[in-house]
Amino acid sequence: QLQLVESGGDLVQPGGSLRLSCAASGFTFVKHVIGWFRQAPGKEREGVSCINTSDAGTYYADSVKGRFTISRDNAKNTVYLQMNSLEPEDTAVYYCAAGPAFTVQAMCVMAAYRWRYKTWGQGTQVTVSS
């Protein structure tokens, strides 16, 4: 059974840090793109950062460049999202998704390619507030 489980969401003050984890099971972890997406109330789901688990190619949305870092541990079938300098605007439910590898940028930012993601996690809440 294909499954993704996110963890690490929490309430944090502005300027703080969190590390989200996305643990995968039930499929071959390599040769996939794992994406982190977020959705705030009343807003569309947006791609935050994505990684190719084979060549470690990455993509970041402009809004998180320099603050967020995506990485993967193929031995643990896990992708991480290190989030630093968090802002209230980062408040959202964060989801990870997995799909057979394709152009990382396209799979991250273009809704037309979102169908390529075969598995989604249940989401983890990140709240940035003082």
Side-chain angles (χ1 to χ4, degrees):
Q1 182 179 0
L2 309 181
Q3 191 173 19
L4 295 173
V5 179
E6 303 100 332
S7 61
D10 205 344
L11 170 65
V12 63
Q13 292 187 344
S17 298
L18 285 175
R19 188 176 81 157
L20 304 184
S21 298
C22 173
S25 62
F27 64 96
T28 303
F29 192 66
V30 295
K31 298 184 181 180
H32 277 74
V33 168
I34 308 292
W36 281 102
F37 296 82
R38 67 186 181 187
Q39 189 165 19
K43 294 188 177 181
E44 293 186 353
R45 189 169 298 190
E46 63 172 342
V48 176
S49 182
C50 302
I51 188 167
N52 183 313
T53 57
S54 291
D55 63 16
T58 59
Y59 177 82
Y60 296 92
D62 287 343
S63 58
V64 305
K65 278 181 183 176
R67 300 188 299 123
F68 290 11
T69 302
I70 192 169
S71 62
R72 95 282 195 221
D73 185 335
N74 287 359
K76 295 183 178 180
N77 284 4
T78 301
V79 168
Y80 304 97
L81 186 67
Q82 177 67 42
M83 306 188 296
N84 299 327
S85 302
L86 283 162
E87 304 168 352
E89 293 73 22
D90 296 316
T91 296
V93 178
Y94 283 70
Y95 301 88
C96 65
F102 190 66
T103 306
V104 174
Q105 180 173 351
M107 287 187 69
C108 216
V109 299
M110 299 179 68
Y113 285 88
R114 208 153 289 171
W115 64 269
R116 300 189 69 93
Y117 290 100
K118 304 304 182 185
T119 306
W120 289 80
Q122 82 288 350
T124 186
Q125 176 70 47
V126 172
T127 302
V128 185
S129 175
S130 55

